[in-house]
Amino acid sequence: MAAVAPVVPIRKRRRRPIDSDTVTVGRSRAGTLFANLAAIGFIVVMAFPVYWVLNTAFKPSNEILRFEPTFIPNSPTFDNFKSAFNAPFFQQDLLNSVIITLGAVAGAIVVGFLAALAIARFQFYGRKAIILVVLGVQMVPLVALLIPLYLMMQGFGRTKELPGVIIVYIVLILPYTVWTLRGFISGIPRELDEAALIDGCTRAQVFWRIILPLTGPGLVATSVYGFIQAWNEFIIINTFNDQAQQNLMAWLLQNQTQRGTFWGPLMAGSILTAIPVVIFFLIIQRNIATGLTAGAVKG
Amino acid sequence: MSVASPSAPARPTPPGPPAPGAHVRRKRRSSTSSGLVPYALALPALFLLFALLGYPMVRMVVLSFQNMRLRELFAGLTPPWVGLDNYTKVLTDSVFWTVALRTTVFTVVSVALTVTIGLAVAMLMRRVAPSIRIAMIVVMMFVWAMPQLVATQIFRWLVDADFGVINYLLTLIGLDYESHSWFAEPLEGWAVITSLVVWAGIPFIAITLNAGLTQVPKELIEAATVDGASPWQAFRNITLPILKQLIVIVTTLSAIWNFGLFTQPWVIRDGRPSSDYQTLATYAYSTAFKTNNYSLGSAISVITVILLAAVMVFYIRQMFKIGDVD
């Protein structure tokens, strides 16, 4: 993308100095005011649930369990977080989450990168079929595959264990990984490969010295997205494994039914579970949409 | 596209003919050695995809023609073949049809709402002050990042009958919602679930469409405005055609996601959704794992995938049409 952007100095001169990409002709002040007010309304509605979970998590339980709520905690406390962190299985499941997620991401990146390389850099019989498979399997509802997967894992004696879940998660994030990395590799000008080949590099050297370093940012973004997907999954693990072998999301699900109306710790637990995802998501947000709508937005 | 393509210049700069020797060598190398390389590279991924997605899909179809119960599962017996019995059972069951219809109606309503609001928000983002636009993006990023399960827990708490803030706010504006249970009446319960899904779905659509709107040349809109076009005409005849492809893709994706709705009704009804809150996905899951009728559950899943197939084929064709695939 960067390689083909031509320099057009004339166009730059024609641009207006301020706010050049929005239309300004035919816009009234009242209209702009209305737009800004509507936008603020939208922000309030969208942000409210996020604000409310934070607000709840820092309240003592006597402040939570009443009909007329306080909009800022009167006596802020960390008790809910402590109670969630020390709840049965929380720390174990946190550790499980980390192991499962890292295992799944590492596996998917290695396997996915090789496949992406094949699709992006080689022309071979069956290439379109592979793309079709990769795009197609992303669409199949996960829950539909849960039954046969469960029976398979049961057959291998791999339920109730982490490795079984890790392998399933690798496959879960693999299609997206292949598809996104393919985009990043295609973005590297083919001329670079060719120049290196002419200068005497072998295919392997082209891979190690050109493609791998230039795909670096793509690898980071893809791993982070894989991390988010694996971290957020709870249906598979909750169905396959017993209580000692869950991840944090499944913990959150089971805690809900066990604790009933203990809203404070539940909201604090929700925050603790969501924090890694939110942080990672904010880091790579630019790359996420491009994987799903690749090619439709030309930036 | 291939490495051997003779028309591709060896280097973009400096211009000049590539060394003839290099050209010949390059050509020979790729015609001999690239033969099996791509297959070797793709093999591990294909193996995993076929073993853990392809095979289960086949197994799911096979299961739907058998009668797999708990006894067969634990004894490792081959379940008896029952032909089309499961399908007959599902398709003559009025509960299934109610669930299928509900899932479809939910998908249509939620996708229409998400895409319409998302488009409106994307347009709004082009109009507001820069600081407000940044605030919109930040808020939407947080909502987008929220794990589904966490978002569902938050909404469960917001509409809690006794201490939920929504009941309080509604009471504040004069309605009697004290101790109001949102899930006693399925229509109200589904309004909550739809709000949750739309709330969580807006950021993806709004931010993607906003990126698409940057492609609409402002000169075109301004020229049209100067020529007397109303804002609606400018939107209808300039913006919409340019955005069309992108809108089709986000709509298709949302439809696929929302048709497979599972987490929200499942969690919001404490993992035991009554028949009023079943979707095709939760119905298949409950049938398989709560009543241990794995075959019947598989049959429901197969039917779900078939119902979705048309949308999926459409999406993949769009992706190919855009040309990014090549």
Side-chain angles (χ1 to χ4, degrees), chain B residues 159-199:
Chain B
V159 301
D160 182 61
D162 297 320
F163 312 110
V165 68
I166 297 294
N167 281 352
Y168 170 75
L169 291 176
L170 287 173
T171 310
L172 212 58
I173 59 167
L175 302 164
D176 182 25
Y177 271 79
E178 203 165 336
S179 298
H180 175 77
S181 165
W182 283 87
F183 296 100
E185 189 64 50
L187 212 56
E188 280 187 5
W190 276 102
V192 172
I193 294 169
T194 309
S195 312
L196 163 58
V197 171
V198 171
W199 173 79

Side-chain angles (χ1 to χ4, degrees), chain A residues 114-136 178-179 182-183 185-186 190, chain B residues 1-3 34-35 38-39 41-42 46 49-50 316 319-320 323-326:
Chain A
L114 297 178
L117 200 61
I119 296 175
R121 274 295 191 261
F122 293 91
Q123 201 61 256
F124 56 98
Y125 185 75
R127 178 172 164 275
K128 278 218 163 154
I130 294 181
I131 296 176
L132 208 65
V133 169
V134 167
L135 276 177
V178 174
W179 187 243
R182 182 210 63 92
I185 298 173
S186 303
R190 206 176 282 269
Chain B
M1 283 317 256
S2 84
V3 182
S34 91
Y39 296 102
L41 290 174
L46 286 179
L49 288 177
F50 277 109
I316 293 173
M319 292 298 266
F320 270 91
D324 192 64
V325 167
D326 294 302

